[in-house]
Amino acid sequence: MQLALQGIGKKVGPEVWLHALNLAPRPGEVTVLLGATLAGKTSLMRIMAGLDAPSKGRLLLDGADITGVGVRQRNVAMVYQQFINYPSLTVADNIASPLKLRQEKNIDARVRELATKLHIEMFLERYPAELSGGQQQRVALARALAKAAPLVLLDEPLVNLDYKLREELREELTQLFATGDATVVYATTEPGEALLMGGYTAVMEQGELLQYGPTAEVFHRPQSLRVARAFSDPPMNLLAAQRSQDGVQIHQGPVLALALAQQTQALAKVTVGLRASALHLQPREGDVLFSGQVELAEISGSDTFVHVHTAVGELVAQLSGVHRLALGEAISLYLSPAQAYVFDAQGLLLRAPERGGAR
């Protein structure tokens, strides 16, 4: 099944919710809609589902125009942030409901198979109110999978779960969708979740589609500062700079020996972007130095996130391992210039690090 959105836009009164955009999610792949709250992700998914009509543009399904076709006439499965289940039905009957509508055979076996995949087989005779939030969301996911729809829409389905449950379910979903042939669209506000889901990513901001492509490509080569800001966690360090004869001169900082396109004039203002993971504590050949004082140090899992006050501004470094750093402590951060991003005065990408470097 090939779904194609052509010039889709949405206005509510005078307010633009979606600017005209084109998008064709890949069949058999996961397409992640990545963006902050109010980026337009839910509005776009509701149009895909047939719950809302676009103000302009067309939706094509295998080449046929389905723009005016309602949700009841579309074969779509959708899972929301909230745990939406039928409260008067057992878990087993919740999962079985789309199978019964299709009058399938061997319903009990199929229900148990799906429940086992999502680790809720022991709850089949319970009611949703007797389950935890994570268990209820697993029921909703199992029911969506039971529908066997060619288009599966997941609108931040894990956002209301605790961290551990999110990690477990995200991994399970990735495995489930990797073996299916449905077109899956998954909305999230978390860049890390987009990277873990893989597939393709569409970065959205304030109703605009900024960039779409393979997730790794969008992450490593953001076409603009707006994409780089949206697809970085922690946020990318952005530093004012200008082109110099030797490369790029960071304001009140070191020179990065970088080759830029010849059309970038000497002394032209640019912005240097540094991923937090590109900064490290031990110098390597060719590195440049940023000296400063520790403002904040947070240990998260196996990494330490350090906020450092430097002459070029505050830098955030993501350091592997656990580092005990005192507030106000002097610290030296090092960077390979090859790991720097450079954006022009309009915020468009001039250079990106070669693939395989620090993330």
Side-chain angles (χ1 to χ4, degrees):
M1 183 207 78
Q2 178 62 69
L3 180 69
L5 288 71
Q6 296 183 348
I8 289 294
K10 179 71 175 179
K11 287 185 70 175
V12 178
E15 189 174 354
V16 177
W17 285 20
L18 287 174
H19 297 271
L21 60 85
N22 299 311
L23 183 65
R26 301 289 184 110
E29 298 274 4
V30 176
T31 291
V32 177
L33 301 182
L34 173 64
T37 302
L38 301 180
K41 305 184 300 297
T42 298
S43 297
L44 188 58
M45 295 184 95
R46 288 180 63 86
I47 289 173
M48 289 183 187
L51 291 166
D52 291 336
S55 302
K56 60 181 176 180
R58 301 190 305 161
L59 274 79
L60 303 180
L61 181 63
D62 293 333
D65 193 333
I66 60 166
T67 309
V69 177
V71 64
R72 293 183 182 277
Q73 286 73 48
R74 300 190 193 184
N75 191 4
V76 178
M78 193 162 184
V79 179
Y80 302 88
Q81 299 176 16
Q82 299 80 10
F83 317 129
I84 299 177
N85 294 298
Y86 301 117
S88 61
L89 299 182
T90 64
V91 168
D93 287 336
N94 264 279
I95 300 171
S97 57
L99 301 172
K100 291 177 179 177
L101 283 173
R102 293 201 305 272
Q103 298 182 333
E104 289 199 9
K105 297 179 180 179
N106 303 317
I107 289 177
D108 289 345
R110 179 62 174 152
V111 166
R112 184 160 292 276
E113 176 191 351
L114 287 167
T116 300
K117 279 186 176 181
L118 287 163
H119 309 295
I120 51 174
E121 68 275 12
M122 67 290 292
F123 306 128
L124 287 173
E125 299 310 313
R126 296 189 187 181
Y127 290 88
E130 299 175 292
L131 306 180
S132 69
Q135 292 160 358
Q136 290 191 55
Q137 192 65 310
R138 288 172 193 264
V139 174
L141 288 163
R143 190 174 67 251
L145 292 172
K147 192 171 182 180
L151 177 62
V152 180
L153 305 174
L154 300 109
D155 189 6
E156 299 189 55
L158 311 182
V159 72
N160 289 321
L161 306 181
D162 63 41
Y163 177 79
K164 184 177 180 181
L165 275 175
R166 285 203 307 271
E167 291 291 302
E168 291 176 2
L169 267 178
R170 186 186 295 128
E171 184 174 344
E172 291 166 9
L173 287 175
T174 303
Q175 294 172 356
L176 283 170
F177 294 135
T179 58
D181 56 3
T183 300
V184 180
V185 181
Y186 186 105
T188 182
T189 61
E190 299 183 20
E193 194 162 59
L195 285 168
L196 290 169
M197 295 300 292
Y200 291 74
T201 291
V203 180
M204 299 186 68
E205 184 182 81
Q206 297 179 342
E208 292 184 59
L209 175 60
L210 303 183
Q211 187 173 345
Y212 172 62
T215 296
E217 176 69 17
V218 177
F219 178 82
H220 288 290
R221 292 194 63 84
Q223 294 175 354
S224 67
L225 270 174
R226 295 173 70 190
V227 176
R229 288 191 184 102
F231 208 168
S232 293
D233 186 20
M236 182 180 284
N237 297 291
L238 300 175
L239 307 175
Q242 65 182 30
R243 179 154 185 189
S244 70
Q245 291 182 344
D246 300 318
V248 175
Q249 171 72 61
I250 295 176
H251 181 59
Q252 295 187 336
V255 174
L256 307 182
L258 298 173
L260 299 182
Q262 290 301 316
Q263 61 263 34
T264 308
Q265 297 178 354
L267 304 181
K269 291 184 179 179
V270 295
T271 298
V272 170
L274 309 177
R275 300 272 190 200
S277 55
L279 296 164
H280 45 269
L281 295 177
Q282 299 301 321
R284 304 164 189 166
E285 185 177 355
D287 279 1
V288 296
L289 167 68
F290 298 94
S291 298
Q293 295 78 41
V294 174
E295 290 191 331
L296 176 67
E298 301 174 294
I299 297 171
S300 177
S302 59
D303 290 334
T304 303
F305 294 87
V306 187
H307 298 246
V308 179
H309 178 73
T310 74
V312 301
E314 182 177 300
L315 296 178
V316 179
Q318 180 180 354
L319 308 176
S320 297
V322 175
H323 299 266
R324 307 292 181 182
L325 299 167
L327 298 184
E329 178 180 340
I331 187 172
S332 296
L333 296 175
Y334 296 92
L335 169 81
S336 167
Q339 293 308 312
Y341 290 83
V342 183
F343 301 90
D344 68 15
Q346 286 71 48
L348 300 179
L349 182 68
L350 287 175
R351 84 167 300 276
E354 293 183 6
R355 292 287 297 276
R359 217 171 63 179

